Amino acid sequence: MVQNKKHYLIWPKEEAQAPSPRSTQERINTVEHLRRKSPHLITEVKRSLPNRTLRWHQRILLSKDYPIKNGQQPQTKGCIVWTDYCIQTLPLLLYLCSIKPDTSFKTIQQSFFANEDLTQPQWKQIIDYIQKNGDNENALTTDALDGWYDEVNITKLRPASYHAFYRWFGTALKDVGYQAFDIFMERRDGRIAWQGAIDAHLATYTQLPAALMKIIVQEHLRPLLVFE
C-alpha cells in the first residue's frame, strides 16, 4: 500500500553515514531545482543526531559550506545538526500527475519510482522531467498565502488547514478556495463547500487509481478540514 512517506533530501534517514561533500552538493542542487518548479512540496526541517559528532580530522577536510556540522548551542552540544528539506510521497505524486494529465499512472510509477509502493523516488529522473515539462512557480510568502486565505475566510476553514492544503495543491489552491467560496455562498456550510471544491479539483487527476485516491482523500485531506 502506498504511504505518505517523508523523504529527506540532504541526509535520508535510511543512510547510516553522513553524505559526502559531493553527494551533498548534488542534493542541494536537487532542492534548488524543486524550489524553482514546485516550492510548495518542500518543507525546511531542522534535524539533529544526538550523541554523535564529526571528528576533528573530518572537519578539517570539509568546506565551510558543508551543511552538516557539530552543534554549538547548549541544547545541541554533542549532536550533529543540519538543515534538511522534506518532501512527502503523495503531494509529489499529485504534482507529477498534474504536469501532463494524459500520462498514465503506470508510466509515472515506473518512470519516477524504484518500486511499486512509491517509497523510493528516482530524483534524477524526476528533476529531468520537471526541468523539461514543469512550469516555474514562485514560492509564496506566508503573507501572500494569508492574503489568499482572507479572500475565502468566510468559509470558516482554519488558517492552519489552508496552509496545509497549499502543501498539497500549490498555487492551484487559490482556485480551489474560490470554488469553495462559491459553494459556501449557496449552501452556507464550510465543510460541504471545501469537500466539494477539493473533490472537483481531485477529479482532474484522472490517471490515479480509485483506491489510491480514496487513501489520499480519507486519510490525508479530510482530516485537514478543521473549521472555526
Side-chain angles (χ1 to χ4, degrees):
M1 183 178 71
V2 175
Q3 297 183 350
N4 199 26
K5 179 181 176 182
K6 290 182 177 179
H7 305 280
Y8 292 97
L9 299 178
I10 302 300
W11 187 351
K13 284 191 171 181
E14 56 268 22
E15 294 183 6
Q17 301 300 318
S20 68
R22 180 177 178 180
S23 293
T24 300
Q25 188 56 56
E26 291 173 352
R27 293 168 183 186
I28 290 172
N29 291 341
T30 294
V31 171
E32 292 307 313
H33 287 308
L34 289 166
R35 274 179 166 162
R36 283 194 290 272
K37 298 293 184 177
S38 52
H40 67 282
L41 295 177
I42 300 174
T43 301
E44 186 175 300
V45 182
K46 300 295 184 183
R47 293 180 61 198
S48 64
L49 282 179
N51 304 316
R52 187 167 171 182
T53 58
L54 298 173
R55 303 303 181 189
W56 70 268
H57 61 277
Q58 293 176 296
R59 298 200 305 272
I60 63 175
L61 296 175
L62 296 171
S63 64
K64 290 183 178 180
D65 59 356
Y66 185 69
I68 299 166
K69 304 179 184 299
N70 289 337
Q72 300 299 314
Q73 302 301 317
Q75 65 271 27
T76 59
K77 285 287 187 180
C79 301
I80 295 176
V81 298
W82 72 102
T83 298
D84 217 318
Y85 300 89
C86 176
I87 288 184
Q88 293 185 273
T89 299
L90 295 177
L92 172 62
L93 177 63
L94 290 183
Y95 172 67
L96 292 172
C97 288
S98 73
I99 293 175
K100 287 188 174 183
D102 58 344
T103 304
S104 71
F105 174 73
K106 195 69 175 178
T107 297
I108 290 172
Q109 185 183 47
Q110 293 178 344
S111 299
F112 306 121
F113 298 90
N115 50 6
E116 291 189 356
D117 63 4
L118 312 183
T119 57
Q120 298 178 39
Q122 303 285 77
W123 294 113
K124 184 180 184 305
Q125 289 88 330
I126 289 171
I127 294 303
D128 288 346
Y129 182 70
I130 68 173
Q131 283 288 95
K132 182 178 179 181
N133 302 290
D135 294 329
N136 288 339
E137 179 183 320
N138 293 326
L140 283 184
T141 64
T142 299
D143 287 345
L145 199 56
D146 286 342
W148 287 9
Y149 171 78
D150 288 342
E151 295 182 303
V152 298
N153 66 5
I154 193 175
T155 63
K156 300 300 183 182
L157 181 74
R158 287 189 176 178
S161 294
Y162 190 87
H163 282 247
F165 282 129
Y166 173 68
R167 296 297 178 188
W168 283 86
F169 302 143
T171 55
L173 177 61
K174 190 173 189 178
D175 288 336
V176 174
Y178 286 161
Q179 186 161 8
F181 177 90
D182 290 342
I183 297 171
F184 180 84
M185 297 306 291
E186 293 180 6
R187 303 291 298 274
R188 294 294 172 176
D189 186 308
R191 185 170 297 276
I192 290 174
W194 277 94
Q195 285 181 353
I198 288 170
D199 288 346
H201 176 69
L202 293 177
T204 64
Y205 297 94
T206 56
Q207 67 270 66
L208 285 182
L212 180 54
M213 183 63 79
K214 184 177 180 180
I215 290 172
I216 292 172
V217 172
Q218 294 187 356
E219 296 186 13
H220 300 285
L221 299 182
R222 289 285 188 264
L224 296 178
L225 290 173
V226 181
F227 297 85
E228 297 177 335

